[in-house]
Amino acid sequence: MAHPGVQVVNGRKTFIPLENNPDTITHLCRSLGISPTLTFHDVLSTTPDMLSHIPRPVNALILLADTPIYLATRSAVEPTIHLYAGSGPEEPVLWMRQTIGHACGLMAVLHVVLNLDSGKHVTGSELQALVKKAVELQPTERAELLYQSKFLEEAHMDAASQGCSIVPSPREDCGFHFVAFVRKEGKVWELNGGMNGPLLRGQLEGDLLSENGLEMTVNDFLQAAETVDHRGISIVAVSG
């Protein structure tokens, strides 16, 4: 039985959108059985003095951007990404296609915790079992596995109901996009279930809040935010 807040919109299961703030993400991760060794921190500014308060190293970032910002930075990039067809443990990252409406926040968190440090922060038995299955599946079957997962649905809806703002209906147009950035084995990946596949951003020696790390990840979104009308942009750093 579906969570009472979940609705079917245009033929697909649709959630309440998730907020991009440390408390909400922490709540979701604890529900999923993610180790408290991972901590989440607002990036209010990318100036050195503001970043100095965030525990390092930071090897993952979760970004939320309004549609005008997202389109300004990714409308030309998305068509260049080949349709991903990978599977198996030899793949450099675990990427999952999003087929649930308004679940891009959940997808961003999953892309972070399942890839960061090769998934060692995953301690919950249900998520561990799901990952074991997902790794071996082709992208379409992997997406269906997530779509049918009741514990993911329950964890997302519980966390989405705990946010600071008024909880919207799943039928409301969200208009915001989540993007995850993960540094794994020295490579920086952009992981977005709404694109065709994972996007390799480059090789990086430092962490994602270094000057080069910001350039590979969020700087183009922040620059676009200065030139287009928008409702907001936020960044959460993942330390651990």
Side-chain angles (χ1 to χ4, degrees):
M1 185 175 182
H3 186 283
V6 174
Q7 297 185 27
V8 176
V9 180
N10 296 325
R12 69 170 178 166
K13 185 163 66 174
T14 302
F15 291 168
I16 296 169
L18 200 69
E19 288 186 10
N20 192 34
N21 68 63
D23 289 342
T24 299
I25 295 173
T26 299
H27 185 100
L28 174 61
C29 285
R30 298 302 168 263
S31 298
L32 293 176
I34 304 303
S35 170
T37 53
L38 286 186
T39 59
F40 304 90
H41 310 270
D42 276 321
V43 179
L44 302 177
S45 169
T46 56
T47 59
D49 58 325
M50 293 297 288
L51 295 180
S52 66
H53 301 289
I54 298 176
R56 310 289 276 271
V58 168
N59 286 316
L61 297 172
I62 299 173
L63 176 140
L64 177 67
D66 194 12
T67 294
I69 299 171
Y70 184 85
L71 292 178
T73 57
R74 287 298 175 268
S75 59
V77 174
E78 286 191 5
T80 69
I81 302 173
H82 296 295
L83 189 64
Y84 181 73
S87 65
E90 296 79 20
E91 290 294 296
V93 288
L94 176 60
W95 177 83
M96 298 161 290
R97 182 174 294 123
Q98 179 188 342
T99 56
I100 303 169
H102 293 172
C104 55
L106 172 65
M107 298 301 296
V109 172
L110 289 176
H111 276 132
V112 166
V113 300
L114 300 186
N115 286 290
L116 195 61
D117 301 320
S118 298
K120 75 173 186 180
H121 303 283
V122 177
T123 59
S125 58
E126 286 185 293
L127 187 55
Q128 286 179 330
L130 181 141
V131 173
K132 186 176 181 179
K133 292 180 182 179
V135 166
E136 301 296 340
L137 296 175
Q138 295 293 321
T140 299
E141 290 73 24
R142 186 180 293 169
E144 182 64 14
L145 178 68
L146 269 61
Y147 190 95
Q148 299 297 340
S149 172
K150 306 310 293 184
F151 83 91
L152 287 181
E153 178 181 305
E154 292 287 343
H156 173 102
M157 294 298 286
D158 182 52
S161 302
Q162 305 294 322
C164 300
S165 59
I166 297 173
V167 177
S169 163
R171 293 188 176 274
E172 293 182 35
D173 182 19
C174 177
F176 282 82
H177 300 262
F178 273 91
V179 181
F181 297 95
V182 178
R183 179 178 178 269
K184 184 177 181 182
E185 297 178 354
K187 293 182 173 65
V188 178
W189 294 89
E190 181 173 335
L191 302 171
N192 178 351
M195 294 203 294
N196 281 337
L199 177 62
L200 178 60
R201 302 290 290 167
Q203 191 83 22
L204 180 68
E205 294 298 326
D207 76 354
L208 296 189
L209 292 185
S210 65
E211 183 176 350
N212 288 339
L214 292 169
E215 190 63 33
M216 285 186 185
T217 57
V218 300
N219 274 1
D220 50 353
F221 290 90
L222 294 173
Q223 290 164 6
E226 297 177 355
T227 62
V228 299
D229 292 330
H230 64 88
R231 294 173 295 166
I233 183 171
S234 65
I235 304 166
V236 169
V238 186
S239 303

